[in-house]
Every structure is written in structure tokens, then in C-alpha cells.
Amino acid sequence: MFTRTSETSHTRTVDTSVVVAVLALTGIVVSLMQTLIIPLIPQLPALLDASAADTAWAVTATLLAGAVAVPVVGRLGDMFGKRLMLLISLGLLIAGSITGALSDSLIPLVIGRALQGLAAGVIPLGLSIIRDALPREKVAGATATMGASLGVGGALGLPAAALIAQYADWHILFWISAVLGLVVAGLVVFTVPESEVRTGGAFDAVGAVGLAVALVALLLPISKGSVWGWSSSITLGLIALAVVSLFFWGWWELRTRQPLVDLRVSSRRQVLLTNLASVVFGFSMFAMTLVFPQVLQMPTETGFGLGRSMLVTGLVMAPSGIVMMLIAPLSSRITTTRGPKTTLMIAAVIVAAGYIFGVVTMSAVWHLVAISCIIGAGIGMAYGAMPALIMGAVPPSESAAANGLNALMRSLGTSMASAVAGVILAQMTITLRSTELPAQEGFRVTMALAALAAIVALALAAFLPPFVATGSTVATGQGARKNDPAPQHC
């Protein structure tokens, strides 16, 4: 237990373990949205009486909404209160879930999925609340737990969603999502304190619009390029718009007094290298999600497919999420004693080893379970280390925005993984009963690229500032709190 005194001299006692548990549960619920609809994708055209290309927007809308929301919600949290924005984000998730539960056609479902995507800022907000609310010696462990919740929700959501989709009405998925959203929102109201750290000032609306245009223009061709054609006028036009918008956005952010994202802080070596590492880790994380379900469900006649159901596929992927949560205490201990740089480098080695194992063998279900657990352990460690690196280099008043930008970098990595893997698997194919299917070599190439991405992350992490111990806690870098010891790089 610890006591925090507000500016009005009222005292509120908060159980830190309860705060961390509630925030982690909130992160798990929000990350469930990433896998909620995956089991339904093959059935959506028939369920909604729409083409496969159109129903793909049920996934794309969530991606785009989340990419735009994360940095914007983070900045609003720094300005007006992180707990307030956390509750607003959960409100959007609930509204989106109810909209999806009531939908029987494409447009309402896409709107619901977009609203769910707007809740993506919950995890960076939760990380920032942890920094503000917890004693410094507990921050590393809580950060590792919160970071792991991102992978846990995604991994556990897949088998649960597959089970419901296989044996019940698909609308129940969204009703369950709405109920979970209500539960965690109630828990936040009663257990999570509002942060007293504020930036104040005016919201950078021009920066928010500029970043939104740039992200949508960038992510749309990445996610739709294989359908539209990589050399089509709409793909190239959107990429050109993204480049122009990013240049304008950067020019504006460097000149406005209260930017949406402080690019001067973001250009610090510790922040910049961590964000770049987040991109390649995002690539590595998502590659497993793209490869394993296909290998598991492909017919055994291919010679490498395992012929399993979607439910079995989800159960194979689930242990990786459990491993991510179990590895959090170890990740925290390494971060506390050796620094988050060391944690990130170890994580990169583990992820690379897992994918190299996958390149060599994927001939049995237990192989994929073992590989996913190895990769899950590395991803869990990385997701605990990266927020610690970010918050060790930015002031507390900018932690939510900085964590939001870091989360956005991971999303860009996953989007690029989807695009690159899509191209590889479309080019390297075999024919089975007049149907084209991805070849085993395509999966191996995708896994090898994921291993290479992890090695790139290792190289980036090697250039991070060295860890400096301050007593028994992690040095907090340029982002040290007002009452912390003299700033040190972590």
C-alpha cells in the first residue's frame, strides 16, 4: 500500500498490486480485439452478403483507427488525465462492441470495429499511469506485466473466439466483448487513481490531423497493396500522399509551441533507437501469427500442412500468451539489475532463435507449440523493456504520448509484416487439386525474415545508452521524476 497526496491535500490510499492487476486486465481485454474477428474472416462474405475484399475492411478499419488513436489519446491523456482518457477509450470499445453485436450488414460492423480500434490507446495510457502512480521500485515489474498483457490478450483470444465462432452465433463474440469492457471500466473507476501529472496547454489539432492523414495514407496501401496492385495508381498515390503528409507534419511539429509529439524528445538516441527496435519487433511478433495458423490448417496432402481445425490452431497459439505473462517477473528482474537495454538484447536473441528453429522444422504440432513459446518469451521480455526505455528518456508529463508513439511503431511493424508476408506467400505457391496454396519455402522465407528482424533489433539495442545503476533501482534517464535522483541513462 502507498499513500499519494493531491494538490488539494486530500489523501487517497491505493493498493498498487490491485492497480497493476486491473490495468493488466484492461490491456488483455483491449488486445483481445486484435484476434476477435480472425476466426470469422472466411465466413464474413456469406454472413454479411458482401465480397471478401469488402469484408476485409472489418480488419483494416480497426488497424487504421488504432494507429490514429494511439498517439492522439496519449497526448490527450498527458493534458487532461490518463485515467479519464482510459475510461473514454473503454467507452469507445463498449460502443463498438455493441454496434458489432447488433450488426447484420457490412457497414455497421466496420463502424463497430473502428470504434473498437479507437481503444488501442489503453495500453500506453496504462503504462503511463503505472509510472505516475507506483513507487519507483515497483515500476519495472508493473511495466513488464502491463507490456505482456498485449500478447496475452491476442494469444488467448484466438482459441476463445474460434470456439465461440464454431459453436455459437458470431454476434456473441461482440456481446462478450461489451461485457468485458463494462467490467474493466468499472474496475478502473473504483481502483485506479487519476494521475496528477499534466502538461496543460492547447491540443495540437493541426498535428493530429496531419498525422492521421499520413498514417491512413501509409497503412492503407500497406494493407491493401496486394489487392489493389503494388504499382497501381491508388497505391502509389497514397504512398506519395503519406510522404508529403509526414514531411508537413514533421515541419509543423518542430515549429508549434505545444506539439502532438515532441520530435526533439523523440530524436534522443534512447527514444529513437527504441522506437526503431519496436518496428522490427512488431514485424517479428506478427510473422508467427501469419505463418502458424496457415501451416496448422493446410491439408496434409501438401506434405507439410498439419490439417488441423481453427480451434486447435488457437489452442496451439495460446501457450505463447501464457509464457509472455510468466516471463514478466524475470524480465522485470533483469531490467532492475542490468537495465532495459540488456533485457531488450536478450529478448532479440530469444526471438531470433525461435524463428531459426521454425525455419528448420515445423513438421509436428508440438514443434509449433515449442517455437511459439520461445518466441512468446522473447516478445514478452521486449514488451516489458521497451516502455521502460521510453519512460527513462522522457519527462513524466509526456510519458503517455511517448508510449503511444512507441505503440504506433509496433503497429507499423505488424502492418509491414502482413504486407511482406502476403507478397512472399503469393509468389511462392504450390497447386493442390487446382487450388493455389502457399509453398513451404514461402513460410520458411517469412520465418527467416522475422529472425533477421530480431537480429536487426539486437543491433539497434546494442547502440542504446549504457545502464547506470542507482542503488537498487533502474536509472530513469532524462525522464526522471521531479523527486528522483539525478538523471541517468538506462
Side-chain angles (χ1 to χ4, degrees), residues 27-39 41 59 62 113 116 120 123 150-151 153-155 157-158 285-286 289 383 411 414:
I28 290 172
V29 169
V30 170
S31 60
L32 283 171
M33 299 309 104
Q34 297 180 352
T35 52
L36 178 71
I37 207 169
I38 287 178
I41 290 175
V59 176
T62 309
R113 289 289 291 163
Q116 287 181 323
I123 289 178
L150 177 65
L158 190 58
M285 182 194 76
F286 204 61
T289 307
Y383 278 9
S411 296
T414 60

Side-chain angles (χ1 to χ4, degrees), residues 144-218:
T145 301
M146 186 71 191
S149 70
L150 177 65
V152 173
L156 299 183
L158 190 58
L163 180 65
I164 293 170
Q166 187 169 334
Y167 296 108
D169 187 327
W170 64 275
H171 293 90
I172 293 177
L173 287 171
F174 289 91
W175 285 119
I176 291 175
S177 173
V179 171
L180 289 174
L182 283 168
V183 170
V184 294
L187 291 173
V188 169
V189 168
F190 290 107
T191 64
V192 177
E194 180 57 275
S195 169
E196 299 166 13
V197 180
R198 298 280 199 286
T199 59
F203 180 68
D204 179 18
V206 174
V209 172
L211 182 60
V213 171
L215 289 174
V216 171
L218 176 63

Side-chain angles (χ1 to χ4, degrees), residues 271-289:
V271 180
L272 178 62
L273 291 177
T274 303
N275 282 333
L276 291 176
S278 296
V279 174
V280 289
F281 261 113
F283 187 104
S284 288
M285 182 194 76
F286 204 61
M288 175 177 69
T289 307

